[in-house]
Amino acid sequence: MQHRSEVEAADALRQAYQQISAEIGKVIIGQQEVLKFVLISIFSNGHCLLVGVPGLAKTLLVQTVAQVLDLDFKRIQFTPDLMPSDIIGSEILGEDRNFKFIPGPVFANIILADEINRTPPKTQAALLEAMQEKAVTAAGVTHRLSQPFFVLATQNPIEQEGTYPLPEAQLDRFMFNVALNYPSFSEELQVVKNTTSTNKVEVNKLLNAEQIVYFQQLVRNIPVADNVLEYAVKLVAKTRPHGEFASASVKRLLNWGAGPRASQFLILGAKCHAVINGKYSPDIEDVQAIAKPILRHRIVRSYHAEAEGLSADDIIEQLF
C-alpha cells in the first residue's frame, strides 16, 4: 500500500483533472477524448500530435489549456520558408559590439506547432531536438527551456501537396497521435450558438507550472504490477513483424513495428489514466485505453493492409 500522502496526492491530481476538464468545457464543446489525451500527455511529460481537418478548434483548445494551467503559451505557424532560428532564436550583435542571444518562441511552456508538416525537415528537426533535449543550442551555448515544456503539433490530413511528412523517427518523439473528428450535430449546434454571439466566456486559472511539475513527478512514482508491465511490453513487441511475438496476420499487415519508446509511454500513460479514473495503480484496461493514440503513428502498414482498407487502429484492435 502507498503512503497516505501519495494517496492524497493522487486524489489531488484526479480532482485537478476533473476541474480542468470542466473549466475547458466552458469553451470547448465536445472533444472530451482529445482533451483527455492532451492532459494525460502534459501530466506524463510527453508531447502530442493532433491530426484533424481545419476548423475543429485545435488552436482554441491549446490556448484554453494554457490559460487554465496558467502557462506561458506561444503559437508557431509552420510555413515552407520558416528557418530553425525563427523557432529557437538567434545571436545578434548588440550596441556594445558583443553578441547576445535573442530567444525564439520555443522558450515558453506550451508551444502550438501549427501545421508542422508544412515546413522543411531542417526546421522540423530544430523543434524536435528541443522536444527531446528540453534545451536548445545556439552558437555553441546550451540554453535550458523552462519547465514544464510541452509541444502540441497539428497536422491537416487532407492536403498533402507541398508538405513534408514527419519521418517515423521524428513521429516517435510524440507520445500521442490524436485523431480529431467532426462534432456531433448537437455539439456543432452549441458551437455555432456560442461563437456567433457577443458572449465571451472567461476561464479560471486552476494550476501553475510548479504544481504541474509536481504532478508529473507523482505520475512517475505510481507503482505498476509486473503483469501490467509485461502486458504493455508484449503488446508493443507484437507489432514487430520480425519479432518473436508477431502473429501471422501482423507479419502480413505490417512492415514495421513500434520501438521501446512506445512501451515507456504505454506505462506512463496508463499510470496517469489510472489516477484520473480513481485508481492508485494501472491495470491492463488502462494500457488498452491509451494504446491506439500511442501506437498508431509508430506502426507502418504493408501493401496488404492498405489494399484491404485496414487502418492502423484496426490492426491495433486485433492485437488486444
Side-chain angles (χ1 to χ4, degrees):
M1 181 60 194
Q2 291 151 292
H3 297 301
R4 182 84 192 113
S5 58
E6 286 178 8
V7 169
E8 283 167 1
D11 290 340
L13 174 54
R14 188 179 80 253
Q15 283 168 350
Y17 171 82
Q18 288 167 346
Q19 288 169 341
I20 291 163
S21 299
E23 200 65 28
I24 292 168
K26 289 182 188 174
V27 179
I28 305 293
I29 309 298
Q31 306 291 17
Q32 285 301 309
E33 190 85 340
V34 176
L35 178 59
K36 177 178 84 173
F37 290 128
V38 168
L39 292 176
I40 287 177
S41 57
I42 289 177
F43 289 129
S44 305
N45 201 6
H47 305 285
C48 206
L49 181 66
L50 293 180
V51 181
V53 297
L56 294 182
K58 297 188 286 284
T59 307
L60 182 62
L61 172 73
V62 185
Q63 281 174 327
T64 312
V65 167
Q67 274 179 315
V68 172
L69 299 180
D70 196 13
L71 294 175
D72 188 18
F73 166 75
K74 295 269 171 61
R75 176 174 181 261
I76 307 170
Q77 181 63 54
F78 279 73
T79 55
D81 59 351
L82 199 72
M83 299 297 289
S85 59
D86 296 330
I87 293 176
I88 63 173
S90 55
E91 295 265 322
I92 65 161
L93 193 60
E95 290 171 4
D96 58 356
R97 297 278 173 204
N98 288 324
F99 280 99
K100 62 174 180 177
F101 178 68
I102 304 295
V106 80
F107 285 85
N109 299 119
I110 291 192
I111 309 293
L112 173 61
D114 231 343
E115 299 200 270
I116 193 171
N117 55 338
R118 290 241 167 269
T119 207
K122 190 177 182 181
T123 308
Q124 289 174 353
L127 177 70
L128 291 150
E129 185 186 354
M131 285 164 57
Q132 183 66 18
E133 308 300 332
K134 306 277 167 85
V136 298
T137 304
V141 180
T142 300
H143 306 270
R144 305 287 321 158
L145 296 171
S146 49
Q147 293 300 318
F149 176 69
F150 174 66
V151 172
L152 222 145
T154 70
Q155 267 187 198
N156 172 358
I158 305 172
E159 295 172 87
Q160 293 308 326
E161 210 171 302
T163 62
Y164 305 85
L166 286 172
E168 265 67 33
Q170 296 190 349
L171 277 173
D172 196 40
R173 304 268 169 93
F174 288 97
M175 178 174 186
F176 288 125
N177 172 337
V178 183
L180 278 87
N181 297 314
Y182 289 110
S184 67
F185 179 75
S186 59
E187 286 169 354
E188 194 163 345
L189 210 57
Q190 190 65 46
V191 168
V192 174
K193 206 183 212 173
N194 291 2
T195 54
T196 54
S197 69
T198 51
N199 295 343
K200 184 147 173 50
V201 181
E202 292 294 327
V203 293
N204 299 308
K205 296 178 179 0
L206 295 177
L207 284 185
N208 58 32
E210 205 180 317
Q211 288 168 301
I212 291 163
V213 172
Y214 168 75
F215 283 138
Q216 287 176 342
Q217 202 52 51
L218 170 75
V219 167
R220 284 195 166 265
N221 287 336
I222 290 165
V224 184
D226 286 350
N227 69 314
V228 178
L229 268 172
E230 282 167 22
Y231 179 82
V233 175
K234 199 167 185 179
L235 185 63
V236 172
K238 281 182 186 175
T239 66
R240 299 170 190 157
H242 309 296
E244 56 178 311
F245 295 108
S247 64
S249 71
V250 161
K251 287 177 180 169
R252 197 173 65 83
L253 298 172
L254 293 182
N255 285 340
W256 206 253
R261 212 180 249 144
S263 305
Q264 293 165 342
F265 283 143
L266 273 177
I267 290 299
L268 272 176
K271 286 180 176 192
C272 190
H273 189 272
V275 171
I276 63 175
N277 284 291
K279 293 182 272 189
Y280 300 113
S281 180
D283 52 31
I284 284 168
E285 282 74 30
D286 293 304
V287 175
Q288 290 178 343
I290 55 155
K292 283 180 186 173
I294 284 178
L295 294 174
R296 68 166 65 111
H297 56 302
R298 292 184 162 89
I299 59 178
V300 180
R301 292 175 302 150
S302 71
Y303 165 75
H304 297 291
E306 289 183 24
E308 290 169 31
L310 289 172
S311 68
D313 285 9
D314 295 330
I315 298 166
I316 296 162
E317 195 77 49
Q318 289 182 19
L319 300 175
F320 296 159

